């Protein structure tokens, strides 16, 4: 079983190399901007990781505050922001359920592939843990603000669907308890070769998927992402 705690604590470079190949067609960004145009927004980001969303958002918004529990992951984000000369972004180590931001201070609160880990890490209390994080997102929003959450709907599958019953319960929780709307987005990975695909995904998705990529000679890895959004 993949140890996500260990990956986020010590394998930021490997994670960054993998996600750099994700969504090669740019579908995620088009879906995001169809829900909330980004110009002039103040943004807070939960679970920023190595800054994939952060680096897309920063040149397009007025300001962004990007948080993650892992200083190791954020170090990659900070280096990328510095290299790009982006001065409207700040990072900080913070728990999703306790954001160090004032209430009603953001136009967009966004969380990418972060909250869903609570289903595995806190199987008995994930509703409370995720509910606290969603509450923090909504607290931070101005009256006309938007909350957006990205989560997986499957990697290496031909059709979208929650990989586990626990994740589908979480997705239903977002929709029925908080009124989020789900959008399905194809976000396929494109690697240089099947060997490159296997080398860059094995640590995260496991041996079975990596070995299948080589056996089938596939450098394109199908993936589906769910986008849940809610306007205040």
């Amino acid at each position: 079983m993949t140890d996500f705690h260990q990956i986020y604590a010590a394998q930021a470079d490997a994670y960054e190399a993998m996600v750099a190949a994700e969504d090669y067609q740019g579908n995620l960004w088009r879906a995001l901007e169809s829900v909330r145009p980004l110009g002039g927004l103040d943004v807070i980001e939960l679970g920023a990781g190595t800054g994939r969303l952060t680096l897309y958002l920063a040149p397009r918004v007025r300001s962004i505050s990007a948080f993650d529990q892992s200083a190791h992951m954020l170090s990659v984000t900070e280096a990328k922001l510095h290299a790009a000369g982006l001065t409207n972004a700040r990072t900080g180590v913070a728990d999703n359920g306790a954001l160090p931001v004032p209430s009603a201070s953001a136009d967009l609160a966004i969380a990418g592939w972060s909250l869903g880990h609570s289903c595995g890490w806190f199987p008995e209390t994930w509703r409370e843990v995720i509910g606290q994080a969603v509450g923090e997102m909504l607290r931070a929003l101005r009256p006309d603000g938007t909350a957006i959450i990205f989560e997986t709907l499957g990697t290496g599958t031909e059709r979208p669907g929650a990989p586990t019953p626990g994740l589908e319960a979480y997705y239903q929780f977002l929709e029925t308890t908080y009124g989020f709307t789900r959008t399905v987005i194809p976000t396929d990975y494109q690697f240089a070769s099947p060997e490159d695909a296997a080398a860059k995904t094995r640590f995260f998705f496991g041996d079975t998927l990596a070995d299948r990529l080589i056996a089938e000679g596939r450098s394109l890895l199908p993936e589906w992402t769910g986008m849940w959004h809610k306007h205040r």
Side-chain angles (χ1 to χ4, degrees), residues 70-115:
S70 170
H72 174 65
M73 297 286 276
L74 284 178
S75 67
V76 176
T77 301
E78 291 160 0
K80 288 160 63 177
L81 289 168
H82 179 75
L86 294 166
T87 60
N88 65 330
R90 71 181 182 101
T91 64
V93 176
D95 185 273
N96 288 339
L99 300 176
V101 298
S103 298
S105 61
D107 305 295
L108 173 64
I110 191 165
W113 307 275
S114 178
L115 276 60

Side-chain angles (χ1 to χ4, degrees), residues 10-217:
Q11 293 183 264
D13 289 340
Y15 182 84
E16 173 67 9
M18 180 183 74
V19 299
E22 190 176 13
D23 188 31
Y24 78 102
Q25 294 176 311
N27 294 326
L28 192 79
W29 312 126
R30 286 189 288 273
L32 169 60
E33 296 205 49
S34 73
V35 167
R36 185 68 194 248
L38 300 174
L41 301 187
D42 294 314
V43 181
I44 61 165
E45 181 184 0
L46 292 71
T50 58
R52 179 182 173 204
L53 291 176
T54 317
L55 268 289
Y56 180 82
L57 292 166
R60 295 167 172 81
V61 302
R62 179 164 55 189
S63 71
I64 181 167
S65 299
F67 302 105
D68 198 280
Q69 293 183 15
S70 170
H72 174 65
M73 297 286 276
L74 284 178
S75 67
V76 176
T77 301
E78 291 160 0
K80 288 160 63 177
L81 289 168
H82 179 75
L86 294 166
T87 60
N88 65 330
R90 71 181 182 101
T91 64
V93 176
D95 185 273
N96 288 339
L99 300 176
V101 298
S103 298
S105 61
D107 305 295
L108 173 64
I110 191 165
W113 307 275
S114 178
L115 276 60
H117 284 302
S118 296
C119 296
W121 294 341
F122 309 105
E124 303 301 323
T125 60
W126 65 263
R127 287 177 175 82
E128 291 80 3
V129 175
I130 292 175
Q132 180 67 28
V134 173
E136 281 291 271
M137 295 176 75
L138 299 177
R139 177 187 67 80
L141 288 177
R142 295 176 176 132
D144 61 348
T146 302
I148 294 177
I149 298 171
F150 291 112
E151 298 288 2
T152 181
L153 284 174
T155 301
T157 62
E158 298 304 322
R159 295 183 179 181
T164 67
L167 283 174
E168 182 56 33
Y170 155 46
Y171 302 159
Q172 292 294 329
F173 178 66
L174 290 178
E175 294 164 20
T176 60
T177 302
Y178 291 100
F180 279 82
T181 298
R182 182 189 311 202
T183 301
V184 178
I185 310 165
T187 53
D188 300 345
Y189 293 79
Q190 180 65 68
F191 296 96
S193 66
E195 292 74 20
D196 182 55
K200 289 179 177 174
T201 60
R202 188 179 299 276
F203 81 105
F204 198 85
F205 293 116
D207 291 334
T208 299
L209 179 59
D211 292 344
R212 178 157 61 89
L213 289 168
I214 292 176
E216 296 177 0

